[in-house]
Amino acid sequence: MKLAAIDIGSNAARCQISNVLNQNGKVIFKRVEYIRYAIRFGEDVFNTGFISEEKIQKFIKLMQAFKLLIDVHDVDHFMICATSAMRSASNAPEIIQRIREAVGMDIQVIGGESEADLINKVIRNFLDDRNYLHIDVGGGSTEFNIYVNREKMASQSFEQGSIRHMHGVDSQELWNKMRVWIEENARKYNLSRAIGTGGNINKIYDLSGKLQGKPIYRKQIEEIAGRIAGMSMQERLTELLLNPDRADVILPAAEIYLSAMKWAKLECMLVPAVGLKDGMIHALYEQHHPEKFIIDKISR
């Protein structure tokens, strides 16, 4: 069986196709295709309130390419989810209709809570019996989740992300609300470790040279952020080999991760390199195989 997830974020759109393997009653998701394109809907929406016609035209072509890829791979089931930028765009209903007419695919615009629930499907596979603060920073929103003994005890979504922060469309009031929520829950649940998801923390983790599965410390994140801050945009592209759409948002994202860890008084973070698209694959499998199953691993 093959499953596909298309994640339409505020910074980029991603298409992931995974093979579902069953070994002795355990399910393995083996990624066979992954494409990411920096559509940057957030740049339009967070400044003007809508998505420009130029980007809509590119988006239609991108979705046509994703549809061809899904067809070539003989995908059995797929899911398309859009997050913060599409939630905020005044012309989102028009775009969804145009995609339906041009490509024959339906887009679900999901709320922050649903986004967190989907990510939860994969995050809990990486947890132990410690109490965790999960921090997921996207281009337009940030989701926080509290886990105790692998169970989610609290969650909150804030319309704060790397692109919003980069363009200064957030507010001190919003930062205060985030801080209060984290501080209250950190005291209530006696948090001991963070777990981070999102493309920017994945890149920071890569830059740290850490082996997968080992935690990264807050001091190391601060050091890497300081190193990046001291580089020009060109140096970030040529020396760190960052993509242009990563080079400008990685520091605003790092500030959100670091602030959350500081408010929660946490010194280290796990970075499992999974996200919404992986949760969507899990949800598709659950939808079409409602019987109880055990996820063994996600293979790259």
Side-chain angles (χ1 to χ4, degrees), residues 41 45 117 176 194 254:
F41 280 161
V45 176
D117 286 343
N176 289 338

Side-chain angles (χ1 to χ4, degrees), residues 15 31 41 53 57 85 113 118 131 136 145 185 195 198 200 208 214 230 233 235 237 243 250 253 272 282 286 290 299:
C15 177
R31 188 168 76 183
F41 280 161
E53 181 61 28
Q57 291 294 334
E113 185 175 341
L118 286 168
N131 297 353
D136 181 70
N145 300 284
N185 282 282
I195 183 166
N200 289 296
S208 74
K214 300 293 184 181
M233 197 61 62
E235 287 171 332
L237 300 177
N243 291 329
I250 193 167
H282 279 237
E286 289 178 347
S299 177

Side-chain angles (χ1 to χ4, degrees), residues 21 23 26-30 125-126 282 294-300:
L21 309 174
Q23 293 183 347
K26 293 185 177 181
V27 176
I28 299 172
F29 296 111
K30 175 67 174 70
N125 295 314
F126 297 91
H282 279 237
I294 300 172
I295 300 298
D296 184 52
K297 59 185 176 181
I298 302 169
S299 177
R300 301 299 173 188

Side-chain angles (χ1 to χ4, degrees), residues 157-172:
S157 177
F158 293 91
E159 292 300 286
Q160 163 70 296
S162 58
I163 294 181
R164 287 185 194 267
H165 189 31
M166 180 177 67
H167 288 285
V169 294
D170 49 6
S171 66
Q172 188 59 49

Side-chain angles (χ1 to χ4, degrees), residues 9-12 38-52 54-55 58 84-86 139-140 162-167 169 244-246 248-249:
S10 300
N11 192 34
I39 193 72
R40 307 216 91 169
F41 280 161
E43 284 190 335
D44 286 358
V45 176
F46 307 143
N47 287 306
T48 67
F50 62 92
I51 296 170
S52 67
E54 179 183 1
K55 285 193 177 175
K58 284 187 177 181
S84 182
M86 288 284 272
S162 58
I163 294 181
R164 287 185 194 267
H165 189 31
M166 180 177 67
H167 288 285
V169 294
D245 64 293
R246 181 74 65 210
D248 58 355
V249 299

Side-chain angles (χ1 to χ4, degrees), residues 179-199:
R179 176 181 55 78
V180 168
W181 190 89
I182 289 178
E183 288 178 348
E184 289 180 349
N185 282 282
R187 288 193 296 268
K188 181 177 180 180
Y189 294 107
N190 192 27
L191 300 178
S192 57
R193 182 178 275 188
I195 183 166
T197 54

Side-chain angles (χ1 to χ4, degrees), residues 109-227:
V109 180
I110 60 174
E113 185 175 341
S114 296
E115 186 175 352
D117 286 343
L118 286 168
I119 298 171
N120 176 60
K121 293 182 181 298
V122 287
I123 285 297
R124 56 194 307 180
N125 295 314
F126 297 91
L127 304 179
D128 51 29
D129 57 3
R130 279 174 278 202
N131 297 353
Y132 283 84
L133 169 65
H134 171 221
I135 310 165
D136 181 70
V137 180
S141 67
T142 294
E143 277 67 50
F144 297 123
N145 300 284
I146 305 292
Y147 294 94
V148 176
N149 292 326
R150 298 183 178 87
E151 294 297 323
K152 186 163 70 171
M153 307 301 293
S155 65
Q156 186 66 50
S157 177
F158 293 91
E159 292 300 286
Q160 163 70 296
S162 58
I163 294 181
R164 287 185 194 267
H165 189 31
M166 180 177 67
H167 288 285
V169 294
D170 49 6
S171 66
Q172 188 59 49
E173 180 183 5
L174 181 60
W175 280 93
N176 289 338
K177 287 180 178 179
M178 292 166 59
R179 176 181 55 78
V180 168
W181 190 89
I182 289 178
E183 288 178 348
E184 289 180 349
N185 282 282
R187 288 193 296 268
K188 181 177 180 180
Y189 294 107
N190 192 27
L191 300 178
S192 57
R193 182 178 275 188
I195 183 166
T197 54
N200 289 296
I201 196 64
N202 290 344
K203 180 54 65 176
I204 289 171
Y205 189 85
D206 290 343
L207 291 172
S208 74
K210 288 278 186 178
L211 295 175
Q212 194 62 47
K214 300 293 184 181
I216 186 172
Y217 291 88
R218 192 171 87 194
K219 182 178 180 181
Q220 292 173 305
I221 298 174
E222 290 171 345
E223 289 172 351
I224 293 167
R227 176 186 168 198

